[in-house]
Amino acid sequence: MKKLFFAINLFFLALFIFPVPGICARAPVSEASEECLGCHSSLHPGIVEEWQKSRHAMITPQEAMGIKGLSLKVSAKSVPEPLLKTAVGCAECHGLRPDSHADTFTHNNLDIHVIVSPDDCAVCHTEESSQYSNNIMAHARKNLAGNTVYQELEKSIIGKPRRIEGRLEYMAADQDTGAEACYYCHGTKLEVKGLESRETFAGEMDFPRISGWPNQGAGRVNTDNSLGSCSACHARHLFSIETARKPHTCRECHLGPDVPAYKVYMSSKHGNIYSSMNKDWNFKAVPWTAGKDFNAPTCASCHISLIINTDGETISKRTHEMSSRLSWRIFGLIYAHPHPVKPDTTIIRNKSGLTLPADFDGTFASEYLVTPAQKEARTESMQNICRACHSTEWVKGHWKRFENTIQRTNADILTATNIMEEIWSRGYAKGMEHGKNPFDEPIERIWCETWLFYGNTIRFTSAMAGGGDYGVFADGRYQLSRQISQLHDWLELRKRLFPQPAPIAMFLEK
Amino acid sequence: MKKLFFAINLFFLALFIFPVPGICARAPVSEASEECLGCHSSLHPGIVEEWQKSRHAMITPQEAMGIKGLSLKVSAKSVPEPLLKTAVGCAECHGLRPDSHADTFTHNNLDIHVIVSPDDCAVCHTEESSQYSNNIMAHARKNLAGNTVYQELEKSIIGKPRRIEGRLEYMAADQDTGAEACYYCHGTKLEVKGLESRETFAGEMDFPRISGWPNQGAGRVNTDNSLGSCSACHARHLFSIETARKPHTCRECHLGPDVPAYKVYMSSKHGNIYSSMNKDWNFKAVPWTAGKDFNAPTCASCHISLIINTDGETISKRTHEMSSRLSWRIFGLIYAHPHPVKPDTTIIRNKSGLTLPADFDGTFASEYLVTPAQKEARTESMQNICRACHSTEWVKGHWKRFENTIQRTNADILTATNIMEEIWSRGYAKGMEHGKNPFDEPIERIWCETWLFYGNTIRFTSAMAGGGDYGVFADGRYQLSRQISQLHDWLELRKRLFPQPAPIAMFLEK
Amino acid sequence: MKKLFFAINLFFLALFIFPVPGICARAPVSEASEECLGCHSSLHPGIVEEWQKSRHAMITPQEAMGIKGLSLKVSAKSVPEPLLKTAVGCAECHGLRPDSHADTFTHNNLDIHVIVSPDDCAVCHTEESSQYSNNIMAHARKNLAGNTVYQELEKSIIGKPRRIEGRLEYMAADQDTGAEACYYCHGTKLEVKGLESRETFAGEMDFPRISGWPNQGAGRVNTDNSLGSCSACHARHLFSIETARKPHTCRECHLGPDVPAYKVYMSSKHGNIYSSMNKDWNFKAVPWTAGKDFNAPTCASCHISLIINTDGETISKRTHEMSSRLSWRIFGLIYAHPHPVKPDTTIIRNKSGLTLPADFDGTFASEYLVTPAQKEARTESMQNICRACHSTEWVKGHWKRFENTIQRTNADILTATNIMEEIWSRGYAKGMEHGKNPFDEPIERIWCETWLFYGNTIRFTSAMAGGGDYGVFADGRYQLSRQISQLHDWLELRKRLFPQPAPIAMFLEK
């Protein structure tokens, strides 16, 4: 008998060491959530089973708050009593703060809302939510939709083309196209458009109609007016730190060619090591120990996660204000520039009065951008992470190249922009000075691609010390130089064919 | 002693729980197959060892037929007696139906054939084979090779370029190029070209020479005249449901930019979750339980697999006639159109008499396409799968955008086609109205790409509710609008440079 | 008590069967390395922990040399006594051959060097190091930097553009750009630029400043004048055969569109099987058994690894001179050509005296390239690997297509080049005959892409029997034919617009 007991013990010990998916400890579920599960486990097995595998189903907030030191994940100082002793289930999240949500409706006698927002998550994850609200990504919707210059670019890409008097013009896009294109990542505005009655297996029921839904964009405007969507990265009902730490999550929006972080990363040495060896790494450990839990950084390692060394000393603090660690913004608008100070970039004005962080001649709108001292502090905090695996000499050598590449790509884009400005000033194409969209003609696109695609891609390969091919033959220097030559050739051909083009004045008179 | 016994038991129990590759139960092997293995296990260890790991090596058809309920994989009502009690080995498949195969030859006193066809697999997997024969993919070869319009496109891509009298023309491609290019996926025609004698380690032997071999194209014409290749998806000798359920299999042909399913999927939230978490999923379970076995769909989940919920209720039936669940065909020819009713699309005629499902003005060849009622039924069957994880509101919102995108992309391609038709009618390029290939001139390619690459890619991102970047900057709306502007600009420049181009009449007279 | 003892045994047995990352046997560490670890395990946990997981930390050279047969990894006949009985640790590698290294400096009373070179690794891995020195990759730096024609191409891509007298010219690139672009893969030249004093936690210390650092390029010139970097493939301090055998390592440099090996492989059937099933394979076994350890080849399987069959017979010997198994060089310069005999390709002269393996008319510089007999022997050694999984008929059919594709792509590129030469000879663009860079004008780029991108990509899909889409719509035949048509159209338009272009003579007079 004892032997049996012993063997069973051993068996469970083995299970503990080699966890088997599907067998897991479970926290007590609230009565309200049990009721949800009663129907929805059959109706939406995908969601329910995923939640069952989540940490939210396995531990109560009270237990989670009892964890000491750096492993603590619940940053709230206190959590409302009714939530403390049950799993974080359906009713707990979808029933939170009902008065703040425009989409709250009565469903099976409970006041619930469809959209769970960062302000809901903040009840337990206060610091993360607060940091994220200062992150530039939380403002991604307004930063695009509220910027008059970018709106011209948006219109030229997703707008409806129309041929008018020998000219092709783009009219504003319909909302559904916007939601699926730019605002898939930037975030839609969720608005309740009344209730809708629907026949269900349990009889007729009312549900809110929400325009802009579905969406998990990083800068989504929620039904409680909060900004962002935690499920953009902590996907669906697993809310997993593992998913968020893997680069595939970032891929959804940072793929390219405009912000090619994912494909550059995967082609770098870091990405190589990740791809080959991540099966042996621990993506759930909090804090995350460099070298022990992982042997090459993922996006999260450098930009978000709490990293310690094997002595338990903090290398890098957790932050959900990712932009606070960035010295340069390598996404050229139209030049790489010191990072904006505030997450709302619609306040920026360059010296020409445009809502751009740099002028077309390369002058930065410095008053809205981090100072040299701030840049240095941000660089130092990033380099500190590099040094967990690399020598100081290595890091300095890498950074010298990165700064050089910022200068070189900006210089090349200035060359391209000078040619473009000559094209405009000679009237071969019609830009802002003619009161026209500066991004919609084919030759303007040749110019756009120098900064929007190739300058950006080159800088990403530089920042990540790799992705060599992306920096050269794939969306890199080969393409950048080709575009500059095309701009030049196009202008020279026009000068030869049409020595007397329509001067600007002519367009202005129209 | 008892302790040892007990411990050993426990050890094997552990093995059972944590299966170790390489240790597996084995079904009895027929004498004929044993003889094959005698030589081939040394000669072709790659194939033989792979087969050893396969289910075909582990279970007899009789045992497989004894499985009850939804787990049953052998859909044949009866299997010939000689096959019932041994593993499905070399001789069983390569020796099936010898009289039906033109490539049957005598090898070591056995009548065997090289090519195992869907009609061979049908001996056990009757339903799957029958369904697949009605799938549009089974007809992929004829649908390309037998369509006069598509043949012009094919010739302009893989044909041999020749400069004739100031014009560049493309002549038909050689067969090997075709087999490696278009027909790698569409399937080659396998034809026996006699026997060939070869020196082997066992002396001189005869082997059939088969033109068109090797090939695993989805619409391959086999030596028994059946269509398709099961190994296109159930790769090589593992015949694994796991491989077929993973998206990498579909990648071989659905990569893009013409049918960019794989890259769009991998960049979507579904693809993110798959990439991050599939290590914990069960890809072998039949039936496949949503939420429990997997937490995000792969290609197979929505298009093929038998899916149940955690109550054991069927959400979606297995089908190998994948096209039967599709309302729209989002692959533009040249517009997205209601899916063809019959898998043989060479019978389709548009109102201009061309073998196209739509006219250049966007009118559908409706008589050959599914009716609105059929479309709705197909939509409903697909939405049913979505609802395993998503609310009705979510699904409706998603579908509204998808239908909108079908309309918008078709409208934009009509704009592009109208410009192209003006170019042809003014004689700046030579199309079908001049008796010339409408796809081979550079400006015609600018037009082709609007529907063949960018319209398609945008629709795939819409259908999969993600892959945001592919719908915008990577092969998406940015490129679509750029191409339309290029078409426009090219025409306007020609009108200015050559106000009196050669009218159509001139070409026709030639 | 016995039961406990027994259970503990069983527990460790289980650990042995299911190895847990982080718990590993350890070889004794030398006193010198212990001293390194004393500080660096806190300072650089990333490196130290990775090394702890490496084979170098687990086994001494003496033990490793005791391994019999094909599993032996240490190819040195003898290893210096002081290294024999300790783990291969920090001091062992970074302290090797101090007199040979220009970067040797005194650090904590030890003479150590930053850069560990192939000549250091040769102390134990003699054969591999020697083979690699004959591999064309070891000469990658010189083969680019020392080739006058390629230098023009390099300058046109990464050089600084400048507008001079109506012409756009490219000046030589700065060193940092080169190190980050072309020489990331081809390798930088590492040169010691003196010592630098730095404040550290242990007081002020001197460190060498090394220009060209960091770099792990395949053809790096090291501080001991040896060529190459083992860590290019055996990444960082895990030195893992597993990493080197996985295709992600090759991706860093062979991604495309110029050498698109990775993306073609991943889209092929081999890549599909790898992606779906490699989780079940054994990437550490030496030798590597086809079928048992892996079911589809990775890059290493065909090009490097020691492969045996299940009878223990060698299918393919290990070689680090990868080029020795290649008959054709499918990387077109500007045509695919028989592989160069010697790894230093700067010695090659075509009949026009240029440093190219072929003339513009397609004639090979045969004297520098493998003979037909050598080509056949190389083909046979490669086909031998194919036959581990494929029938002779399969292999012959595949190879016939591959040879056909070499001819067809070369023929198409000759068509493109003939048009380009007419453009030059008529003076519409300025090439070598005018003393100008033949790669920097937009129309020259249209021509470059025919051989540098599309011809190459097509050949890679052919060689790997797959990646169908890459051979057609993605960087394949669609693009190749489009570029040829563009060249033709561009020339015809110029002939019409400018019937009397500047003849060559005019440029030469300048």
Side-chain angles (χ1 to χ4, degrees), chain A residues 7 42 174 180 214 236 445, chain B residues 6 311 389 401 404-405 462 478:
Chain A
S42 296
D174 56 289
E180 211 175 76
R236 300 287 296 162
R445 286 297 178 87
Chain B
F6 195 83
D311 295 339
C389 300
R401 286 182 193 152
N404 179 65
T405 290
S462 179
Y478 180 96

Side-chain angles (χ1 to χ4, degrees), chain B residues 150-392:
Chain B
Y150 302 169
Q151 280 303 298
E152 290 298 298
L153 180 59
E154 180 185 316
K155 203 160 60 178
S156 79
I157 296 171
I158 68 169
K160 294 180 193 178
R162 197 171 51 166
R163 297 171 79 193
I164 305 169
E165 300 169 18
R167 193 170 152 84
L168 192 85
E169 304 224 327
Y170 287 87
M171 294 170 301
D174 57 289
Q175 207 180 7
D176 279 334
T177 293
E180 211 174 76
C182 312
Y183 298 96
Y184 176 85
C185 289
H186 283 260
T188 58
K189 183 167 171 50
L190 302 179
E191 288 178 298
V192 178
K193 302 290 187 185
L195 287 176
E196 183 179 83
S197 210
R198 275 208 310 271
E199 203 52 52
T200 76
F201 87 104
E204 199 170 290
M205 283 181 157
D206 283 344
F207 300 91
R209 277 194 309 114
I210 303 171
S211 79
W213 183 247
N215 182 261
Q216 287 85 32
R220 191 178 71 192
V221 180
N222 296 303
T223 51
D224 61 356
N225 292 315
S226 65
L227 298 179
S229 162
C230 300
S231 60
C233 304
H234 299 274
R236 299 288 297 163
H237 289 79
L238 196 58
F239 321 98
S240 168
I241 200 169
E242 177 163 7
T243 316
R245 280 175 169 176
K246 289 189 171 172
H248 316 291
T249 292
C250 310
R251 176 187 204 171
E252 282 186 56
C253 293
H254 297 268
L255 178 65
D258 55 324
V259 274
Y262 179 81
K263 59 188 185 188
V264 166
Y265 170 78
M266 291 301 272
S267 310
S268 74
K269 194 165 287 297
H270 290 160
N272 165 15
I273 298 172
Y274 167 81
S275 299
S276 299
M277 303 307 293
N278 87 77
K279 65 184 176 54
D280 295 334
W281 300 355
N282 183 350
F283 283 92
K284 291 186 177 162
V286 172
W288 215 13
T289 309
K292 181 167 157 283
D293 292 328
F294 62 96
N295 289 110
T298 65
C299 314
S301 320
C302 298
H303 293 288
I304 307 168
S305 297
L306 167 60
I307 310 283
I308 62 167
N309 70 11
T310 42
D311 295 339
E313 295 161 346
T314 298
I315 293 172
S316 181
K317 288 186 187 167
R318 182 189 299 125
T319 182
H320 279 67
E321 186 186 339
M322 293 82 132
S323 33
S324 69
R325 210 175 282 164
L326 301 175
S327 53
W328 288 100
R329 192 170 180 209
I330 59 178
F331 180 62
L333 295 164
I334 61 174
Y335 300 97
H337 52 279
H339 207 279
V341 176
K342 301 216 169 139
D344 177 354
T345 60
T346 61
I347 60 170
I348 296 175
R349 296 290 177 279
N350 68 9
K351 66 175 173 169
S352 313
L354 294 173
T355 48
L356 288 175
D359 263 79
F360 276 25
D361 66 3
T363 312
F364 298 138
S366 300
E367 137 185 30
Y368 303 94
L369 311 176
V370 292
T371 64
Q374 288 171 313
K375 273 183 64 197
E376 206 170 320
R378 289 170 173 222
T379 298
E380 172 56 28
S381 81
M382 187 62 95
Q383 289 184 339
N384 202 33
I385 304 172
C386 306
R387 284 191 296 257
C389 300
H390 297 285
S391 73
T392 300

Side-chain angles (χ1 to χ4, degrees), chain A residues 213-229:
Chain A
W213 182 246
N215 181 261
Q216 287 84 33
R220 192 179 70 192
V221 181
N222 297 302
T223 51
D224 62 355
N225 293 316
S226 65
L227 298 178
S229 162

